[in-house]
Amino acid sequence: MSLLQMEQIMKRYNQGELEVMALKGINLTVEEGEFVAIMGTSGSGKSTMMNILGCLDRPTQGSYLLEGQDVAHFDDNALAEVRNKKIGFVFQSFNLLPKLSALENVALPMVYAGVDRAVRIKRAMEALDKVGLSARIHHKPNELSGGQRQRVAIARALVNDPAILMADEPTGNLDSKSTFEIMGIFQQLNDEGVTVVMVTHEPDVAQYTKRIVVFQDGEIKQDHPVEHRVIFREGAVQ
Amino acid sequence: MNLAECIKNAFQNVFSNKSRTLLTMLGIIIGISSVIIIVAIGNGSQAAIEEEFESFGTGSFTVSLVGSRDIDTRDLLTMEDYYLLEEMEGIAAISPTYTYGSAFLKLMDPQETNTATMTGVTADYQSLNNDTLLYGRYLSNNDVNMKTNVCVIYDTTAQKVFGRADESVIDQQIQIKSWKGTKKYTVIGILQNTDTSQIENPDEYPDTIFAPITSIMKNYYSDTISNLMISVSADADTDDMKEQILTALEDFHGNEDKYYIMDTTDMMDSINSILSYVTLFIGFVAAISLLVGGIGVMNIMMVTVTERTREIGIRKAIGAKNKDIRFQFLVEAILLTGSGGLLGLLIGWAGSYGVGALVGITPVMSITAILGAVGVSMAIGIIFGVTPANKAAKLDPIEALRYE
């Protein structure tokens, strides 16, 4: 059984009189342990794809099996549960809650999962440790650098031990040094067995992954493994 | 999402913007505190009025001559009327009264006097006026028949005349001066004065002296009585008895519509009902201010939801269900109005004593009003918080995440 299997996924938007076909029957399978980059120009359908993959949105048509469950027609509540337990999100603009500390931000998904407070704190600390931020757990997001904020977001995405990590342009707001470090973290997590799907429009960033899927006009145009993969090494700065 | 987390969260959000929170709560604070003050003062004045009437003697009524111009000599009430009604069945107690108010009582210092109200009554008057005897005895029917110059006085009066109010005052004489001469009365009993304002400032009030009505009428040259105070026996119908009494008097005098009955219970009831209407009306105005306050809360909650659209999107993306978001904003609204209610309660409490001191009424705090105030303010939070909370819950996560 594949981790993620999409068949004939279509997404139609009604913009007034105009009907836009954002996805025109996508077939995509991702196995456990893969590291996939989804690329494409704006309007190619990659963001729509990301929303459906991340269970933030439902396809108009088609089936989407996530760990064997067809989530394409789940209701709001069931989708929230899937997002909480099976998916970890990392966004371009970090999307941390500004009033909460790093630790509280990381612990938040567990609040919605109904995890006890003591366990929440313990697991949040572990997750922050994993991304190398154990020294700044009580800092608010605005007291952290962009790279540090993204590490907090990654820790938050990992904390409920999801089946898949979804990253939407995770390095779009970062300088090259931070980009390098964040991609290193993704690679490290992937090496440890975490499946990662990342949307990006930067070919350089895509070179860190193992497989590139290119979208164009709502269809998959290319789907190939990465040939000359960039490997992050401690201390090596691009 | 558990409740503790939700409340902690709500505290952080509500109290992070203190001035806005305070302004939003202001409507609730004003509404609740005015309700508390109105209810406390309303209850206080009701209690004061009841106490006042209590001293008049409840369950009794007085029969008097109407105060109009075409009164004939034959219409005047006399002791004959008393003897007539005394025989009537269904009457528990009856006393004629005659009051002479332009007399002066000699006090301890021989140079000083105080206004005295000479009140002529019979033995039944003690029960009719709810008077408690402390020392000696009350006036007897024999005193009335013999027209003796004996009297009963209040302990406050005894204090003024003798400097003491105890057993030793019995059989002492008091002197009452008026332009009808100086009369001497022997004190045979001391009554307890229960009027709190008279006890506190005895010098500001005239002294009431009770003596046999026959003696007062003789000494102050009166052939008529002021009125008749009556209570009916428990098994008799009060309204029916009143009718019978009026008819008997009219038959006796051969007149019509010359007498009227004043009932303290009726008066108290009507004053109380007027008072409760006033309280209700002002309470209604206060309720409107609560409504306005509630709308203010709804308004600010709507703004809050819009401001925090992105936060809602983030929470949803990491797994918050619609009901989690709804609950979060509802708890915030309840916290907002609940703390407003609590503040209003404290201000109202203090305000009640402030206003009470100003108008001379001891406010009466009722548990109902306090629990009601807190309950109502929280209910306002729920009622006016539901719409914004639903708006937040229904936001589309993708749209919300895109919100700048």
Side-chain angles (χ1 to χ4, degrees), chain B residues 285-356:
Chain B
V285 175
I288 291 175
S289 93
L290 276 181
L291 184 77
V292 174
I295 293 168
V297 169
M298 179 150 86
N299 183 34
I300 219 70
M301 285 309 292
M302 283 292 194
V303 173
T304 302
V305 169
T306 308
E307 279 175 351
R308 284 159 59 192
T309 299
R310 199 179 176 86
E311 176 196 325
I312 294 162
I314 295 169
R315 286 179 183 273
K316 284 195 162 189
I318 63 171
K321 297 191 169 115
N322 292 356
K323 68 171 164 61
D324 294 324
I325 301 292
R326 183 180 303 121
F327 192 62
Q328 180 190 341
F329 282 91
L330 207 51
V331 167
E332 280 184 31
I334 294 170
L335 184 69
L336 204 58
T337 58
S339 351
L342 227 51
L343 269 176
L345 184 63
L346 293 176
I347 293 171
W349 194 309
S352 301
Y353 285 94
V355 173

Side-chain angles (χ1 to χ4, degrees), chain A residues 70-136:
Chain A
D70 189 356
V71 297
H73 306 290
F74 272 20
D75 66 7
D76 284 357
N77 263 344
L79 281 183
E81 184 114 13
V82 171
R83 289 197 296 269
N84 188 235
K85 302 259 165 68
K86 296 193 174 173
I87 293 166
F89 279 104
V90 178
F91 300 94
Q92 177 176 4
S93 50
F94 322 126
N95 280 345
L96 300 172
L97 295 188
K99 283 176 191 166
L100 302 186
S101 68
L103 187 70
E104 289 169 321
N105 263 295
V106 174
L108 199 57
M110 292 186 284
V111 170
Y112 292 115
V115 177
D116 282 345
R117 189 178 151 77
V119 181
R120 288 204 301 263
I121 292 172
K122 184 172 160 282
R123 272 166 57 185
M125 300 256 253
E126 283 167 7
L128 279 164
D129 193 38
K130 204 173 220 171
V131 296
L133 264 185
S134 36
R136 326 204 70 134

